[in-house]
Amino acid sequence: MTLHTRSVAELAAGLARKEYSAVELAQHFLSRIERSNDALNAFVTVTPDRALADARAADEARAAGRAGPLTGVPLAHKDIFCTDGVRTACGSKMLDNFVAPYDATVVERLHAAGTVMLGKTNMDEFAMGSSNETSWYGPVKNPWDLRKVPGGSSGGSAAVVAARLAPVATGTDTGGSIRQPAALVGISGIKPTYGRVSRYGMIAFASSLDQAGIMAPSAEDCALFLAAMAGFDPRDSTSVDRPVPDYVAELDAPLAGVRIGVLKEFFAHGLEGETGALVQAAIDQYRALGARIVEVSCPNLPLSVPTYYVVAPAECSSNLSRFDGVRFGHRCKDPRDLMDLYKRSRGEGFGAEVKRRIMTGTYVLSAGYYDAYYLKAQKCRSLISADFKAAFEQVDLLIGPTSPSPAFNIGAKVDDPITMYLNDIYTIGANLAGLPAMSIPCGFDGALPVGLQLIGPHFGESRLLAAAHAYQRHTDFHRRVPAAYA
Amino acid sequence: MSLTRKDVEGIAHLARLEITEAELSVYTDSLSKILSFVEQLAAAETADIEPMAHPLEGESQRLRPDVVTERDQHEKFQLNAAAVTGALYLVPKVIE
Amino acid sequence: MNQNTLQEGWEVVIGLEIHAQLATRSKIFSGSATAYGAAPNSQASLVDLGYPGMLPVLNREAVRMAVKFGLATGSTVAARSFFARKNYFYPDLPKGYQISQYERPIVEDGSLEIMLEDGTKKTIGITRAHLEEDAGKSLHEGLANASGIDLNRAGTPLLEIVSEPDLRSAKEAIAYLKKVHTLVRYLEICDGNMQEGSFRCDANVSVRRFGAPKFGTRCEIKNVNSFRYVEKAINYEVVRQIDVLEGGGTIRQETRLYDSTKDETRSMRSKEEANDYRYFPDPDLLPVTVETAFIDAVRATLPELPDEKAARFVADYGLSAYDAGVLTSSRELADYYEAVVAVAGGPACAKLAANWVTGDFSGAVNRDGVEIADANVPAAALAGLLGRIQDETISGKIAKDVFEIMWAERALADAVIEAKGLKQITDTGAIESAIDAVMAANPKQLAEYRSGKDRLFGFFVGQSMKATQGKANPAQLNELLKKKLDAT
């Protein structure tokens, strides 16, 4: 059995058995990165020295009897998480030269858990995109078909896991940025409840929607990592002080009797190709496994994309004002005056999609338009949230597609923002309501993977992971690796 | 909502973004489309609906004890700054 | 300028926005120190610098202080208040937005009473007081064509106290400003240091014809850093606005800066551009909930407030409202006064003590710019001096000299009196012989006095006092002199 096709749980078990050392494991993945990253463009920074240092420390910890469940497991961080001493560019020219002087809480916790950092992954600029095409570092290729996008914004993390250049990678999800790319590359990815994982050190896109999560082959892998990432952080006011369940222990919770709601609105519009049929087959599988399938409706869900495209740009327009060429980030050459410094530094440093969203956000917050756009969107957000709340009075989980279609061609949607935005039609609702949600692979449309989405009530990660795990014990889609990377 | 080029120039100025003439045309078109797209919200019935600013209802701001926990690290922090003199961040002269 | 004639027919309307830096140890949203005068950017943490990935966490003490102010002004303390972002670009504003409170401030709808010069009282409404973060500073000295940004002050907690437009003259504005200044120091929520910018004031000034139904267009005068300049800036602005309006012009709503060297206000062109702050709720911060128990706990820490103290001084010590007001203008002065009275023997000497504390003592404190706590004449020492006046060891006049020596040498009254031989002469014989000598030496004046030139009495008092080196008991001397001069 080759190392890289093993799940995280299997790799960890091998480390525990001393079948291989953490250094050997790190070297294995570093050589895979060396071989394949140029074609995929999935890592923007590879940190071999850091990886080997982390790995040696992990081996020492194990020798000293201080190893935990993740000690020595290699991982990649989305380049949105600040890493002390290692460049954090966030997919932007603006931060091409930025080296954070501190670690994000997610990075710190995973480091403390003994993981080994292989590098930082490519992403849509400031996480704004659904295809990884807005990155200053160029598009990431989908390992299943290099002509296709891997989804976004955590496209690099998705691709490295799909191609097994890393066994696991962190991601962030503001409107689907973990789930949609996970779906498009055939891996598992979970966006936890808003507030479950600290946002400290995660470069903000839209603060009320952003949530860090994890992308890995299986739900079990996600459970292992989420356990290490989740928990209260006094440095994040929106972090929730509430015990973290033992996600791994609860993976085997039975499916029998669990009520799963099929969201009517998720099937109202055309799902492309085989997506509808594959999702339906997965629902049937759940029924066969003992779950009670119920149809439910969230009538305001169709408002979620327009709501999101007011709220997220509004928050981003403000969050990105700090990039002004003064204390960090790109600064234009020879500014004539203060206005010139601001306008050129920002004009040169930000890419087209980021500028578009900053301007959208600036507009919807400006005098005379606030009520009609921003306030209205916040009220619609209430409606959507209330719909979910009502749905979770009837069911334990919701089920549906993650994305309306499998991966599309690079360049196919770049010129039409609205079409691009509609990629997130099924994922955005969970962000607006702060709900935990995950995507798991549920089959293939031709050569391309299709994702199944599960959404849970607030802090319902255990049930979500257990339901995904139950499905994965009876399917092997999550074990499939593109031939070129097997 | 159909924006004019002048509108977009105004927004870009408010957001302190320099945009070229060519970009101006592109943004005028795409921002107009986006605004028209989001205007479907207007049809939603939201009378008596409280706006939602935060995904977790009922949570309250946690308060931090008034303790100094930070020490001077300006040299490290200023490694990312393009222009610094005598520990001050430099900008073109601010006129008041 | 003669305001009375210029202001004829015009009503002045002023509202003040006061920014009081809260006296917390750490910043409002970070654990950086707030100490004044530190080396540039040495107290600017990653949060204060607006570094990517940084998040604000609210300082409990700042909330407590805001609530304290709310309770002291009879305001409503909001059970839930919100933080919003005020978006604008400026080099001293690292995040490109200021975290402030907009729609729902923590404190609303209170008032303070001020006393006008004629002794009448007026209630000034406090619209709101909200928490926000201070900005950094732009420095220009020694930099060619550049400004240097120091972000030490960025993130210092501010309480912005907004009055209703209830003030009708610069004098009222100053009375209100001083009242707030006194209050925040009583409450120990702000050190009140205007020089260091801990207590700053913007004034919104407009004028209208008496009886006009609507307020005139107002101008905001920014950051004036002393009581005197606030008064001068308002007066200048009032005259300017009336001039413009009487000349047929209109007032443009704008921000103006007061130039103390030229004693004028001028338009701030850099802030001219129409501001669109795009306020919206800060998604990084949750609603601030202030529970009843929290309010009760804060209420229990409220000191006796200036008005309460002044009323007590009037009732217990028989002081005039004016004296009581002066003595309670700072907690330190009031405490000092009460300590003097306590040592000097209670209410019997309250009036005398009030005169001394508001007079010579305050004069010396202000002249030398010292803190009351550090004064060379502590309360017990002043009480000792007053005791010597009361027991007639020295006269009130001599006491002034004794006080100056005590102040200069940190000496006690008895020691000074002893060392300088200033003990009052009360021995009738000694005074009489001094008077006799003066009468003998001035026969011409004596004759004139006795022929009806009463005014010469003063001359004899002066000469006799001089003959005793000023030490004669004045009342005794007067009495004996009168008797001798009139004895024909």
Side-chain angles (χ1 to χ4, degrees):
Chain A
M1 192 181 189
T2 44
L3 282 179
H4 53 271
T5 54
R6 296 185 186 188
S7 71
V8 172
E10 288 159 355
L11 286 175
L15 283 165
R17 285 195 303 272
K18 304 203 173 145
E19 193 183 320
Y20 38 80
S21 69
V23 168
E24 286 165 341
L25 194 58
Q27 279 164 339
H28 178 77
F29 282 101
L30 286 170
S31 68
R32 288 184 63 78
I33 294 168
E34 175 87 41
R35 200 170 332 126
S36 303
N37 192 49
D38 283 353
L40 292 173
N41 195 30
F43 276 98
V44 288
T45 304
V46 184
T47 54
D49 294 345
R50 167 73 184 267
L52 294 174
D54 285 353
R56 277 191 292 274
D59 285 333
E60 281 162 26
R62 190 169 302 284
R66 288 184 281 105
L70 299 181
T71 300
V73 176
L75 93 169
H77 280 300
K78 184 177 181 178
D79 206 21
I80 199 169
F81 291 102
C82 286
T83 42
D84 196 352
V86 175
R87 181 185 68 172
T88 301
C90 216
S92 184
K93 178 184 177 185
M94 178 60 84
L95 291 180
D96 186 49
N97 58 1
F98 177 70
V99 179
Y102 74 104
D103 277 335
T105 298
V106 163
V107 172
E108 189 181 86
R109 285 189 180 217
L110 290 176
H111 188 250
T115 64
V116 172
M117 180 171 109
L118 297 170
K120 312 278 301 277
T121 62
N122 202 345
M123 55 181 282
D124 277 301
E125 184 176 9
F126 285 101
M128 297 175 202
S130 308
S131 66
N132 223 300
E133 293 167 288
T134 71
S135 171
W136 162 251
Y137 300 96
V140 177
K141 316 291 167 54
N142 190 320
W144 292 94
D145 181 343
L146 298 182
R147 292 166 303 177
K148 306 283 180 186
V149 303
S153 67
S154 311
S157 287
V160 303
V161 175
R164 303 299 196 264
L165 304 191
V168 57
T170 53
T172 61
D173 191 317
T174 304
S177 284
I178 285 175
R179 291 161 288 158
Q180 185 256 15
L184 269 47
V185 303
I187 62 168
S188 305
I190 184 166
K191 174 203 101 72
T193 309
Y194 184 87
R196 180 75 288 185
V197 175
S198 171
R199 294 188 296 115
Y200 179 86
M202 194 173 111
I203 298 177
F205 159 17
S207 312
S208 79
L209 301 160
D210 296 343
Q211 182 60 202
I214 194 79
M215 306 169 83
S218 73
E220 183 185 18
D221 300 338
C222 290
L224 267 165
F225 266 83
L226 186 58
M229 294 163 73
F232 174 64
D233 181 359
R235 294 173 297 191
D236 174 3
S237 295
T238 61
S239 158
V240 177
D241 191 358
R242 170 180 176 127
V244 178
D246 186 341
Y247 299 125
V248 178
E250 293 179 20
L251 277 174
D252 293 323
L255 253 190
V258 172
R259 298 166 301 169
I260 298 183
V262 178
L263 262 179
K264 202 171 85 180
E265 288 74 18
F266 276 7
F267 297 87
H269 293 282
L271 292 166
E272 277 181 41
E274 296 297 309
T275 298
L278 292 168
V279 170
Q280 190 54 54
I283 294 169
D284 293 341
Q285 174 86 60
Y286 271 105
R287 187 181 286 112
L289 291 171
R292 277 171 48 202
I293 306 297
V294 190
E295 184 172 275
V296 289
S297 170
C298 288
N300 291 295
L301 207 52
L303 297 174
S304 56
V305 179
T307 297
Y308 177 87
Y309 278 97
V310 173
V311 173
E315 293 184 13
C316 103
S317 71
S318 176
N319 282 334
L320 269 58
S321 291
R322 69 192 63 205
F323 301 104
D324 59 6
V326 178
R327 295 162 316 286
F328 40 72
H330 177 74
R331 180 185 181 104
C332 69
K333 285 218 159 43
D334 306 320
R336 288 188 306 278
D337 53 27
L338 189 60
M339 189 60 82
D340 188 43
L341 169 69
Y342 285 153
K343 287 192 170 179
R344 274 202 293 134
S345 298
R346 291 166 61 76
E348 294 164 4
F350 292 136
E353 181 60 23
V354 170
K355 282 187 247 188
R356 178 160 31 234
R357 296 208 196 180
I358 289 175
M359 286 194 280
T360 305
T362 301
Y363 185 79
V364 300
L365 289 175
S366 61
Y369 301 102
Y370 181 91
D371 287 2
Y373 291 96
Y374 183 75
L375 194 64
K376 184 75 184 181
Q378 279 202 319
K379 290 179 176 176
C380 291
R381 191 175 178 182
S382 279
L383 292 175
I384 294 161
S385 186
D387 277 4
F388 276 113
K389 202 172 172 189
F392 283 116
E393 281 166 13
Q394 301 167 54
V395 298
D396 302 307
L397 294 172
L398 293 168
I399 197 165
T402 305
S403 173
S405 71
F408 45 90
N409 284 335
I410 292 172
K413 300 185 181 181
V414 280
D415 294 330
D416 184 356
I418 305 286
T419 308
M420 188 67 96
Y421 293 173
L422 287 169
N423 277 302
D424 302 333
I425 189 164
Y426 302 126
T427 46
I428 278 172
N431 299 86
L432 290 171
L435 301 168
M438 73 182 298
S439 179
I440 54 174
C442 68
F444 285 81
D445 182 347
L448 297 172
V450 168
L452 174 75
Q453 186 179 206
L454 293 162
I455 305 173
H458 287 143
F459 301 100
E461 284 84 359
S462 287
R463 173 151 283 161
L464 208 55
L465 289 161
H469 182 60
Y471 178 81
Q472 290 183 338
R473 286 203 303 187
H474 294 86
T475 55
D476 72 345
F477 304 119
H478 63 288
R479 293 202 163 269
R480 301 206 193 160
V481 179
Y485 306 94
Chain B
M1 171 62 72
S2 189
L3 298 176
T4 64
R5 288 166 70 90
K6 203 165 159 43
D7 291 335
V8 176
E9 273 176 342
I11 299 166
H13 175 70
L14 200 52
R16 300 294 185 268
L17 293 169
E18 184 177 75
I19 51 174
T20 62
E21 278 298 307
E23 283 176 314
L24 188 58
S25 302
V26 174
Y27 287 127
T28 302
D29 177 58
S30 64
L31 290 178
S32 296
K33 281 185 182 152
I34 291 167
L35 292 173
S36 301
F37 172 71
V38 302
E39 271 158 21
Q40 61 184 284
L41 296 178
E45 181 49 64
T46 53
D48 307 324
I49 300 295
E50 278 292 306
M52 176 173 164
H54 194 271
L56 298 177
E57 289 169 64
E59 295 279 335
S60 288
Q61 177 60 37
R62 195 173 52 255
L63 302 177
R64 174 179 62 80
D66 181 25
V67 178
V68 175
T69 54
E70 301 296 322
R71 61 194 167 82
D72 178 13
Q73 296 187 74
H74 73 271
E75 284 177 7
K76 185 177 184 188
F77 299 165
Q78 291 182 341
L79 292 175
N80 282 305
V84 170
T85 292
L88 297 168
Y89 294 97
L90 290 186
V91 296
K93 197 163 192 69
V94 180
I95 311 143
E96 282 206 340
Chain C
M1 75 189 101
N2 187 336
Q3 285 163 38
N4 288 334
T5 47
L6 267 169
Q7 288 177 23
E8 196 100 353
W10 291 94
E11 186 183 28
V12 177
V13 177
I14 303 162
L16 296 187
E17 291 172 16
I18 298 167
H19 288 90
Q21 275 186 358
L22 296 177
T24 55
R25 287 185 201 93
S26 65
K27 292 188 179 175
I28 183 165
F29 298 119
S30 83
S32 303
T34 53
Y36 180 81
N41 289 308
S42 63
Q43 291 178 173
S45 70
L46 294 174
V47 171
D48 311 319
L49 296 171
Y51 247 72
M54 282 296 138
L55 297 169
V57 185
L58 183 57
N59 186 337
R60 171 188 301 275
E61 193 62 11
V63 174
R64 205 185 62 77
M65 288 177 170
V67 169
K68 205 171 179 185
F69 180 82
L71 294 176
T73 50
S75 306
T76 304
V77 175
R80 264 163 95 76
S81 62
F82 299 91
F83 280 99
R85 293 185 183 177
K86 178 181 183 180
N87 294 283
Y88 65 96
F89 287 88
Y90 209 66
D92 63 12
L93 188 72
K95 297 186 296 297
Y97 59 84
Q98 179 194 30
I99 305 177
S100 181
Q101 295 191 302
Y102 185 54
E103 283 181 332
R104 289 254 218 114
I106 188 161
V107 167
E108 272 183 297
D109 197 17
S111 65
L112 277 179
E113 199 170 61
I114 59 169
M115 199 190 292
L116 307 181
E117 276 182 331
D118 64 3
T120 58
K121 289 179 173 174
K122 180 171 176 180
T123 299
I124 306 302
I126 292 173
T127 315
R128 57 188 281 157
H130 65 253
L131 286 166
E132 63 182 24
E133 56 180 345
D134 208 344
K137 283 181 185 166
S138 305
L139 308 169
H140 316 289
E141 250 170 78
L143 298 168
N145 290 318
S147 295
I149 309 301
D150 175 9
L151 295 170
N152 280 348
R153 198 180 67 175
T156 299
L158 292 177
L159 188 67
E160 180 173 335
I161 303 157
V162 182
S163 83
E164 290 286 303
D166 287 345
L167 302 157
R168 289 292 174 272
S169 68
K171 288 233 179 312
E172 287 187 21
I174 297 309
Y176 167 78
L177 187 62
K178 285 188 170 167
K179 188 83 188 207
V180 174
H181 189 248
T182 296
L183 183 63
V184 295
R185 285 176 304 136
Y186 260 68
L187 297 173
E188 295 176 320
I189 62 175
C190 173
D191 68 18
N193 191 324
M194 295 179 87
Q195 233 87 58
E196 294 177 2
S198 316
F199 189 84
R200 319 196 283 269
C201 174
D202 303 338
N204 286 305
V205 178
S206 67
V207 297
R208 63 174 166 185
R209 292 278 182 195
F210 271 110
K214 291 205 314 202
F215 290 138
T217 305
R218 61 176 194 202
C219 290
E220 183 179 18
I221 313 170
K222 279 271 177 209
N223 278 341
V224 201
N225 65 358
S226 81
F227 292 117
R228 201 162 63 89
Y229 289 155
V230 172
E231 183 167 357
K232 293 180 86 159
I234 291 172
N235 282 332
Y236 175 87
E237 183 60 17
V238 165
V239 172
R240 185 190 74 85
Q241 290 188 14
I242 292 171
D243 266 357
V244 169
L245 293 171
E246 289 190 338
T250 51
I251 301 298
R252 200 159 42 128
Q253 185 164 344
E254 62 181 355
T255 302
R256 300 179 69 87
L257 197 67
Y258 178 68
D259 181 337
S260 59
T261 54
K262 294 181 182 160
D263 187 24
E264 63 178 31
T265 66
R266 61 164 186 272
S267 188
M268 281 175 83
R269 282 189 186 78
S270 63
K271 302 222 173 179
E272 270 308 77
E273 186 187 318
N275 280 317
D276 185 344
Y277 292 125
R278 289 159 284 137
Y279 281 99
F280 75 106
D282 190 329
D284 287 331
L285 291 158
L286 301 174
V288 179
T289 306
V290 179
E291 316 249 349
T292 315
F294 187 90
I295 294 179
D296 290 345
V298 175
R299 198 189 307 277
T301 68
L302 281 182
E304 183 181 33
L305 298 177
D307 287 352
E308 296 163 3
K309 208 184 267 294
R312 182 167 62 80
F313 281 15
V314 170
D316 292 3
Y317 301 128
L319 301 183
S320 68
Y322 178 80
D323 279 349
V326 173
L327 286 170
T328 55
S329 65
S330 92
R331 202 162 153 177
E332 293 74 22
L333 190 66
D335 289 349
Y336 181 90
Y337 169 73
E338 293 209 275
V340 172
V341 173
V343 177
C349 69
K351 182 67 191 161
L352 180 66
N355 290 342
W356 274 86
V357 173
T358 58
D360 294 69
F361 177 74
S362 288
V365 165
N366 293 336
R367 182 190 64 213
D368 294 357
V370 295
E371 296 293 325
I372 288 173
D374 305 333
N376 264 349
V377 179
L382 182 60
L385 177 64
L386 302 189
R388 292 300 159 263
I389 297 170
Q390 284 183 301
D391 68 11
E392 302 194 332
T393 304
I394 53 173
S395 67
K397 189 164 180 303
I398 291 286
K400 287 179 178 291
D401 300 335
V402 175
F403 177 83
E404 284 309 322
I405 296 165
M406 290 167 71
W407 184 270
E409 299 174 2
R410 202 176 175 87
L412 292 176
D414 286 344
V416 174
I417 293 164
E418 183 64 38
K420 309 273 176 186
L422 296 172
K423 198 166 185 310
Q424 187 161 260
I425 300 166
T426 49
D427 170 26
T428 310
I431 298 174
E432 278 181 339
S433 61
I435 291 172
D436 290 344
V438 168
M439 285 168 66
N442 297 284
K444 187 167 156 267
Q445 285 83 350
L446 183 61
E448 282 177 17
Y449 176 85
R450 286 186 170 156
S451 65
K453 214 167 177 185
D454 288 357
R455 287 190 291 113
L456 280 170
F457 186 72
F459 167 79
F460 284 102
V461 172
Q463 291 299 307
S464 306
M465 195 55 98
K466 200 171 164 189
T468 63
Q469 290 96 49
K471 292 184 284 188
N473 178 296
Q476 252 179 309
L477 183 127
N478 264 326
E479 194 190 337
L480 292 168
L481 190 60
K482 185 93 180 147
K483 198 167 14 169
K484 280 187 178 282
L485 288 173
D486 293 351
T488 43

